[in-house]
Amino acid sequence: MHLLVCGGAGYVGSHVAKVLDARGHRVTVLDNLSTGHAQAVRWGPLIRADLLDPASLDAAFQDQRFDAVLHFCARSLVGESMAAPYDYYENNVVGTLNLLQAMRRHGVDRIVFSSTAAVFGNPVAALIDEDHPKAPINPYGASKLMVERILADAAHAYGLRSVCLRYFNAAGASANDGIGESHEPETHLIPNLLRALINPAAPLKVFGEDYPTPDGTCVRDYVHVLDLADAHARALDYMEAAPGAHAFNLGNGTGFSVMQVIRAAERVTGLPVPFERAPRRAGDPPVLVAASQRAREVLEWSPTHTSIEAILRTAWDWHRAPAF
Ligand code: UDP
C-alpha cells in the first residue's frame, strides 16, 4: 500500500514509518515540523503541510494516490492541555476534521488514528478494556475522544473505515535506526529520568507522593514504541476485511509506579537517579493499566518488549547518543 503518515516526523509516527517500510509498504510523511524532526523522516519523502491549512492538504492529496492514512499529528501533553484547551481542540479536533474532509474529497477511505488511554479519565476498573466508560479529565483526552466519535459517525455516514489505537504510555526507541524520543520541552517520565542521569544537576521531579497507589506515586502501563508500531501495521491489514469504526487498547497489562520505573532505570544503567519530590501535576489519573485482550485476539498483536527493563534499555541507548 501507499500510506500517508501524518505526523511521521514525530516520536510514534517515525517508528511506525520504519515498521511499515519494513513490511513492504510505500510511505509518504506529512508533517508541519512544529514538534517533529526532519531527521526522523527516513523511510519516504516528507510533505510539509499543516492540518489547519486545508489547501496544503488538498495539494498533498492531489499529487498522488494513497490507500490509507495513519494519523499522529496532535498536541499531546496533558498539563499543557489544561492550560491551553483552545489550542488542543483546534489542533486535535479541527485539524483532524480538515484531514478527514480532505481524505473524503480525494477518495481515501481508511485511517488508523493515534488515540490514548486519556480518553478513559479516572479508571473505575483495575484493568481498562475497550468498554470501560470514557470520561476524560483533561482537554487532551477529550479532544481524542471527540475524534473517536467523529470517526464512528463517519463510518455510518460515509463508509469511512477506521481503527483507533489507544496507547497507554509509549516508551523506548529504535536507536540503531537513528530514531527515538525527543521533545522540547520534554515532559514524559522516562526521557526526563534519563536526562537526569546524564545531567544530575537537573534532577527528575516526581509529581505527587500521595496517590492511592502502593508507594503513593502514579502507576502507568509502559509499552514499547516498536510494539505500538507493529499494531498499526496489523490494523491496516485488519481494515481490509473490517468495515466500520474499531478501537483497541494497547498496553502490556502491567503497571509500574514512578518509583518502580526509577528503580528499574537504576538497575539497567547502574547509576543512581537524582530525583526530588514535587506536587501533583494537574490532570494525572493515579493508575492507568490496559487490558489489551481485544488487540491480542483480533489483531493477533503480541508485544515483544514486555519488561520495563527492556523498554528502558532501548530508551537509554537513544538518550546516550540521540541523533536529534
Ligand atoms: N512524571 C513525573 N515526573 C516527570 C514526568 C512525569 O513524576 O518529569 C509522572 C507523571 O506525573 C505521571 C507519570 O510520570 O504520573 C507518567 O507521565 P508521562 O508524562 O510520562 O505520561 P502520561 O501518563 O502523562 O501520558
Side-chain angles (χ1 to χ4, degrees):
M1 284 188 262
H2 185 194
L3 303 168
L4 183 66
V5 182
C6 297
Y11 171 46
V12 181
S14 60
H15 286 80
V16 170
K18 171 197 140 55
V19 166
L20 295 175
D21 173 75
R23 304 270 165 103
H25 296 297
R26 183 176 155 209
V27 169
T28 296
V29 168
L30 183 151
D31 205 295
N32 67 4
L33 299 183
S34 61
T35 55
H37 306 271
Q39 303 96 304
V41 183
R42 306 263 311 276
W43 292 276
L46 169 66
I47 300 171
R48 279 193 75 160
D50 195 316
L51 300 196
L52 295 177
D53 174 11
S56 74
L57 295 179
D58 275 328
F61 281 98
Q62 248 146 31
D63 288 350
Q64 46 205 325
R65 161 92 209 146
F66 300 106
D67 298 297
V69 169
L70 298 101
H71 173 31
F72 303 92
C73 303
R75 304 283 290 269
S76 63
L77 305 178
V78 165
E80 187 183 65
S81 80
M82 301 286 283
Y86 288 173
D87 287 355
Y88 273 67
Y89 293 118
E90 181 175 50
N91 274 282
N92 297 1
V93 183
V94 177
T96 302
L97 204 48
N98 288 341
L99 173 63
L100 294 172
Q101 288 174 319
M103 288 170 61
R104 183 151 187 261
R105 282 195 294 279
H106 296 276
V108 182
D109 65 353
R110 289 168 199 212
I111 184 166
V112 180
F113 175 60
S114 170
S115 190
T116 169
V119 300
F120 296 108
N122 282 321
V124 295
L127 293 176
I128 302 175
D129 68 13
E130 287 77 5
D131 300 322
H132 185 284
K134 283 138 206 101
I137 59 167
N138 51 61
Y140 168 59
S143 71
K144 290 283 184 175
L145 185 58
M146 286 178 192
V147 172
E148 291 200 7
R149 270 303 293 270
I150 293 170
L151 293 174
D153 292 340
H156 288 294
Y158 311 126
L160 180 72
R161 296 184 183 212
S162 63
V163 174
C164 296
L165 297 177
R166 300 185 188 124
Y167 319 146
F168 281 61
N169 286 61
S174 188
N176 291 343
D177 296 298
I179 49 173
E181 189 168 12
S182 177
H183 301 112
E184 224 40 78
E186 185 54 76
T187 66
H188 294 105
L189 175 64
I190 290 178
N192 275 348
L193 180 164
L194 298 176
R195 286 180 182 194
L197 283 176
I198 290 162
N199 176 19
L204 174 73
K205 286 189 165 53
V206 174
F207 297 134
E209 52 186 335
D210 57 351
Y211 285 100
T213 60
D215 65 21
T217 62
C218 285
V219 171
R220 293 289 182 274
D221 182 343
Y222 296 89
V223 53
H224 198 279
V225 64
L226 286 176
D227 285 325
L228 293 180
D230 172 65
H232 291 72
R234 291 171 184 276
L236 285 168
D237 294 343
Y238 175 66
M239 274 195 293
E240 287 285 325
H246 307 274
F248 298 94
N249 295 356
L250 300 179
N252 277 308
T254 311
F256 293 93
S257 71
V258 173
M259 286 311 302
Q260 285 176 313
V261 176
I262 289 174
R263 298 303 172 218
E266 290 177 335
R267 287 195 295 279
V268 166
T269 64
L271 299 167
V273 175
F275 71 89
E276 59 193 30
R277 303 281 182 178
R280 287 183 180 202
R281 189 173 69 175
D284 277 343
V287 181
L288 289 172
V289 182
S292 295
Q293 212 47 39
R294 187 185 288 178
R296 288 169 187 274
E297 285 169 14
V298 177
L299 303 180
E300 296 177 22
W301 180 66
S302 177
T304 55
H305 300 79
T306 50
S307 79
I308 189 71
E309 286 85 359
I311 291 171
L312 283 163
R313 200 165 294 121
T314 68
W316 182 228
D317 287 344
W318 165 257
H319 278 273
R320 272 186 300 185
F324 45 82

